Amino acid sequence: MIQTKIRHGISDRESSYSMKTIKNQEKSGPVVIARNEHEISRKLISPNALRVLYRLKDNGFAGYLVGGCVRDLLLGREPKDFDVVTDATPGEVKRIFRNCRLVGRRFRLAHIHFQNEIIELATFRSQAPDEPETETEPKEADGAEQRRHSRMLKDDDGMILRDNVYGTPEEDALRRDFTVNSLSYNIADFSIIDYTGGLADLNAGIIRTIGDPDVRFQEDPVRMLRAVRFAAQLGFTIEEKTRKALVAAADTIVRAAAPRLFDEMLKLLLSGEGAKCYDLLRQTGLFQALFPDFANWLSEESEGFPHTRFGEMLECVDSRVQQGTRVSPPLLLALLFGEYIDGKTGRFRQQGMPWQQSVNAAVAEFMGETCPIIMITNRVAIALREIISQQMRLKKIPGRRPESFTARDDFNDIIEYCRITRGDKKDVARLLDWWTAQSRQQEPVPVPAELAAAGEAPQRKKRRRRRRKPNTKNRTEAE
């Protein structure tokens, strides 16, 4: 019988469906859970997603909610976003929705823009190529021919480069990554449709690829990171065959686009389960492949002690995310890699470089190691460098123009980094309290005596007046 140990959204009424029925669904068709047999209510669905679904229905098209939102609703979790699929082509979607923007070349999607939300709308897709790439079609009115790009395109290693072959709801479900992400909610009759055994895996707490995991990870290496994230976030277990394929293919993660890997790493480390994600990444070999130099440094000892700060910072970030506190990407990177960058800074300082130049060189070296695999954006890299370099400015109170320092956009991240990494020291805590009070007041805050006595408030040096040179030319003429 279908179990309810995970549930949290699957009704006892679903127990009328046997496990045998679900396992044999490929032969007998999909499992369809009627509205009175599940607990997904339209009250739990985004009003904007409902508007999209009903607009499609009113125009004679099918409309399904798919993917993570259906999974999360069944688990009693609040979905972060709502994805919709339809049998309408992108052009037809564009004609139906005035607030539509077509995006993407690898995967052609429609973004339906609302005031505070974007609903992603895709056309049912199929894995099968529909045309050879060598076909030609007229390029211009003069009849000149050009090579037509196939709507399904893979590279020599089997990775999907383009996937715009449209298909049926079943084909669309079978091309998704994991069974628990293939469930559909049909707006026509409010039923749940399962083509892949996703309900059984959802109840068993299993992450399983749809089809051969070796092929699925070859088609898109990022699926390995998604398997890790879903297992950590949901508390699920990666199915054994899927896990073996993941470990075997871990080194191929570097084939994925570097900017995409950066986005996926942010999702992993800011998921609220970053420590669990790291454990799975390390166990499967993905972490070594993504951060080879940093992973080697982590495995070494410093003065006889292991590097434990990385794990401590992951737990700190997880705690903040779970409490609803936002952690910016630059602050995240500073917390996780700050000790590593500090070591590089110290090495440059020993070579005689000034503080700021040492930090600049250390961050540049870190970026040179990381960006070929994980492309950290230039904006985030600059903010990371500023968080680390401005730690020296905190020691100068009040210093020159303290109001300009507290007005910086990254002031809170600078303070938080220092508070998290060194806030357990009393003198540092007093220093940060003074800066925090300074940022909240219109007028300057008096410097505490103990900080002034410690030499933290140096007196401004008087500028020496420049001596004027005598005008020897006029003197010569006068003589």
Side-chain angles (χ1 to χ4, degrees):
M1 307 295 287
I2 293 183
Q3 303 297 316
T4 57
K5 63 179 181 179
I6 295 187
R7 159 59 203 160
H8 312 278
I10 298 179
S11 167
D12 291 337
R13 288 169 292 185
E14 294 180 33
S15 61
S16 60
Y17 291 86
S18 67
M19 292 296 292
K20 183 178 180 181
T21 300
I22 293 179
K23 289 181 179 179
N24 293 333
Q25 64 188 57
E26 291 185 0
K27 298 179 181 179
S28 59
V31 169
V32 179
I33 310 299
R35 173 62 189 93
N36 61 348
E37 296 176 332
H38 68 78
E39 295 182 358
I40 293 184
S41 168
R42 279 168 287 175
K43 295 179 181 178
L44 303 174
I45 300 174
S46 161
N48 293 325
L50 289 175
R51 291 188 184 98
V52 172
L53 290 168
Y54 279 121
R55 179 76 67 84
L56 290 169
K57 181 183 176 183
D58 293 342
N59 282 270
F61 295 106
Y64 295 173
L65 281 180
V66 293
C69 61
V70 180
R71 178 200 67 218
D72 289 343
L73 288 171
L74 287 172
L75 292 174
R77 300 165 62 96
E78 182 179 356
K80 291 186 177 180
D81 47 44
F82 292 84
D83 295 334
V84 178
V85 291
T86 180
D87 56 353
T89 64
E92 291 170 330
V93 171
K94 179 75 172 176
R95 287 192 292 270
I96 295 172
F97 297 93
R98 290 185 300 175
N99 53 338
C100 169
R101 300 289 184 276
L102 298 182
V103 299
R105 181 177 178 182
R106 181 171 181 258
F107 300 106
R108 193 65 166 164
L109 301 171
H111 282 178
I112 313 301
H113 290 253
F114 295 92
Q115 185 173 5
N116 58 349
E117 187 179 17
I118 296 176
I119 302 298
E120 190 171 277
L121 178 56
T123 305
F124 294 131
R125 284 182 170 83
S126 170
Q127 288 280 28
D130 68 333
E131 58 184 4
E133 189 176 358
T134 56
E135 280 190 34
T136 58
E137 61 181 0
K139 181 179 180 181
E140 301 293 347
D142 59 6
E145 293 183 341
Q146 67 171 357
R147 187 187 184 100
R148 179 190 296 175
H149 296 292
S150 172
R151 288 184 285 175
M152 164 62 77
L153 182 63
K154 296 184 180 181
D155 66 9
D156 293 338
D157 295 321
M159 186 168 69
I160 295 177
L161 302 177
R162 191 179 302 116
D163 181 9
N164 290 307
V165 181
Y166 304 133
T168 65
E170 181 176 5
E171 289 173 330
D172 188 79
L174 292 175
R175 63 168 289 281
R176 296 185 177 273
D177 50 9
F178 306 107
T179 58
V180 295
N181 291 339
S182 66
L183 302 173
S184 304
Y185 174 84
N186 187 359
I187 195 63
D189 57 6
F190 317 119
S191 63
I192 295 173
I193 306 173
D194 178 14
Y195 291 98
T196 66
L199 283 171
D201 286 343
L202 198 65
N203 280 282
I206 292 175
I207 300 296
R208 185 198 312 269
T209 58
I210 299 172
D212 186 345
D214 293 313
V215 175
R216 303 301 273 164
F217 292 145
Q218 189 178 49
E219 289 176 342
D220 186 359
V222 171
R223 286 171 178 156
M224 293 185 282
L225 297 182
R226 289 169 60 82
V228 166
R229 175 158 58 91
F230 293 142
Q233 279 186 307
L234 303 176
F236 282 15
T237 302
I238 301 177
E239 180 261 339
E240 187 61 25
K241 187 177 179 181
T242 300
R243 183 184 181 88
K244 288 181 178 179
L246 194 160
V247 172
D251 291 343
T252 67
I253 189 64
V254 298
R255 294 170 51 231
R260 191 175 174 212
L261 287 179
F262 177 61
D263 292 338
E264 289 296 327
M265 288 307 302
L266 290 182
K267 292 178 183 178
L268 282 164
L269 300 175
L270 293 174
S271 65
E273 299 292 348
K276 291 182 181 179
C277 289
Y278 166 64
D279 286 339
L280 287 172
L281 290 173
R282 183 173 49 82
Q283 293 167 15
T284 56
L286 285 169
F287 193 81
Q288 178 70 40
L290 290 166
F291 300 99
D293 295 284
F294 180 69
N296 292 336
W297 177 82
L298 272 182
S299 63
E300 300 171 353
E301 292 187 348
S302 177
E303 299 179 356
F305 295 95
H307 299 289
T308 59
R309 180 169 143 181
F310 182 77
E312 294 170 357
M313 292 300 101
L314 273 176
E315 293 175 356
C316 175
V317 171
D318 286 346
S319 176
R320 287 171 173 256
V321 172
Q322 291 167 10
Q323 293 172 7
T325 303
R326 181 182 179 275
V327 178
S328 69
L331 178 59
L332 171 72
L333 297 182
L335 291 173
L336 298 185
F337 301 105
E339 184 183 17
Y340 182 54
I341 295 173
D342 286 344
K344 294 179 178 294
T345 302
R347 176 163 51 83
F348 286 115
R349 290 282 284 167
Q350 290 176 356
Q351 297 173 6
M353 279 192 183
W355 164 256
Q356 185 63 55
Q357 291 182 20
S358 298
V359 174
N360 294 349
V363 173
E365 187 174 283
F366 169 72
M367 294 289 289
E369 296 172 356
T370 308
C371 287
I373 301 174
I374 299 176
M375 178 59 73
I376 301 173
T377 63
N378 192 49
R379 177 183 60 81
V380 172
I382 292 173
L384 163 66
R385 184 189 66 195
E386 289 299 296
I387 289 173
I388 294 176
S389 66
Q390 292 300 321
Q391 298 302 301
M392 191 67 73
R393 174 66 180 89
L394 290 175
K395 299 180 181 180
K396 303 173 182 178
I397 62 169
R400 295 184 180 180
R401 302 179 62 191
E403 66 281 356
S404 297
F405 182 59
T406 58
R408 292 174 60 112
D409 292 336
D410 58 355
F411 174 76
N412 290 331
D413 281 348
I414 295 169
I415 291 291
E416 284 303 299
Y417 177 73
C418 188
R419 193 180 297 279
I420 293 171
T421 57
R422 296 188 293 130
D424 55 339
K425 300 178 181 179
K426 291 184 178 180
D427 56 337
V428 175
R430 287 196 297 267
L431 189 71
L432 297 177
D433 290 342
W434 184 87
W435 276 112
T436 302
Q438 176 69 37
S439 67
R440 294 172 180 171
Q441 299 293 329
Q442 297 289 341
E443 299 179 358
V445 177
V447 179
E450 61 271 18
L451 292 181
E456 297 289 354
Q459 298 293 326
R460 289 185 61 180
K461 294 182 179 180
K462 293 183 178 180
R463 292 184 60 184
R464 295 180 60 182
R465 295 186 64 181
R466 188 176 179 182
R467 293 183 60 184
R468 296 180 62 182
K469 293 182 179 180
N471 193 333
T472 56
K473 181 179 179 181
N474 293 339
R475 181 182 302 172
T476 305
E477 291 177 353
E479 292 176 352

